Amino acid sequence: MREIIFDTETTGLDSRDDRVIEIGGVELENQFPTGRTLHLYINPGDRKVHPDALAVHGITDEFLKDKPTFADVADQILDFFGGARWVAHNATFDISFINTEFARLGLPPVAGELVTDTLVLARRKHPMGPNSLDALCRRYGIDNSHRAKHGALLDSELLAEVYIEMIGGRQAALGLVTGVAGGQTIEAEEGPIIVLQRPRPLPARLTEVEIAAHAALIAKIGTKAIWSKYEC
């Protein structure tokens, strides 16, 4: 299963009027990072960055002046996300902005069934919270000390780690070994492993005296002794 863990930064909080100015994404295949990422800064046209938003992400109007518009990068975004699930923290916010941008270009919206909201997952798993991205990083021991401000790619990378931990993906490595270890070759992530079979069974560690003593004890207990069902 292919998933894109993504995040956006915007000029403000109103998806009807504000614009996406940054998008970052991290590709997962079967809950493992593939190494493929997407990171774009986007010119919002005549929409200025709200001071409150600027305080969160630090992306200025001046910085965005020479960046491509959403129309310029829409195909790149669609190509990267194509066929994958869209995974975000508080996904309702990000998807509302993405779908509004798509609508401006006459493109179909992202279908709700393709979206996973990690905030919803976190609230189910940790109902007492807190469940912000920073709080989840602390909970799962993920280093976010380099996160001075929000950034779409950085937040996507952190969220990918949180998401994998939250759904138990780290344990998937336990299932990478397949086959039966009976003197055969089995497959593991790092390649084939040869499991040797003993040429003959190990000798019993019980002495004849111990075996006789055990038999005498069973005889003394009687025929209903549970030990009579097993052989030494």
Side-chain angles (χ1 to χ4, degrees):
M1 178 177 62
R2 187 167 168 269
E3 299 167 292
I4 305 297
I5 314 300
F6 80 101
D7 183 48
T8 63
E9 300 299 340
T10 63
T11 58
L13 299 178
D14 188 346
S15 61
R16 297 168 298 180
D17 297 317
D18 284 302
R19 306 296 299 268
V20 174
I21 57 174
E22 185 186 12
I23 183 169
V26 174
E27 183 184 61
L28 301 185
E29 190 74 48
N30 296 324
Q31 302 171 359
F32 285 89
T34 65
R36 290 187 67 216
T37 62
L38 174 75
H39 188 210
L40 300 168
Y41 289 105
I42 300 167
N43 187 330
D46 58 2
R47 188 68 178 179
K48 301 301 182 184
V49 176
H50 191 280
D52 291 343
L54 179 62
V56 171
H57 51 59
I59 302 173
T60 65
D61 295 322
E62 184 66 24
F63 175 80
L64 295 169
K65 282 173 58 175
D66 62 348
K67 302 301 183 287
T69 65
F70 196 93
D72 294 329
V73 299
D75 286 343
Q76 189 177 348
I77 293 170
L78 289 170
D79 287 344
F80 186 76
F81 281 84
R85 291 195 63 80
W86 298 60
V87 183
H89 204 61
N90 193 17
T92 302
F93 176 87
D94 299 279
I95 289 295
S96 67
F97 273 88
I98 293 293
N99 282 342
T100 301
E101 294 285 4
F102 283 167
R104 290 187 180 106
L105 301 175
L107 296 171
V110 179
E113 60 267 23
L114 294 179
V115 179
T116 297
D117 192 337
T118 54
L119 180 57
V120 173
L121 295 179
R123 285 172 174 168
R124 289 174 183 166
K125 192 173 181 67
H126 311 295
M128 301 304 291
N131 288 307
S132 67
L133 180 55
D134 284 335
L136 291 169
C137 285
R138 290 192 297 271
R139 180 184 291 275
Y140 290 110
I142 295 166
D143 181 14
N144 65 340
S145 58
H146 50 307
R147 188 184 187 238
K149 285 186 178 293
H150 288 244
L153 182 57
L154 173 59
D155 286 2
S156 298
E157 291 169 340
L158 291 172
L159 181 58
E161 293 190 66
V162 165
Y163 178 63
I164 291 169
E165 292 287 353
M166 195 158 49
I167 62 175
R170 295 291 186 195
Q171 299 179 21
L174 299 176
L176 291 174
V177 177
T178 59
V180 179
Q184 305 296 321
T185 300
I186 62 176
E187 295 297 325
E189 183 183 26
E190 63 273 17
I193 300 173
I194 307 301
V195 181
L196 299 178
Q197 194 172 38
R198 292 185 184 278
R200 56 182 179 275
L202 290 172
R205 295 185 177 182
L206 294 175
T207 65
E208 292 296 331
V209 173
E210 289 171 331
I211 293 173
H214 183 67
L217 176 63
I218 293 174
K220 184 177 180 180
I221 294 173
T223 56
K224 293 185 178 181
I226 193 171
W227 289 107
S228 62
K229 298 180 181 179
Y230 303 95
E231 295 182 1
C232 294

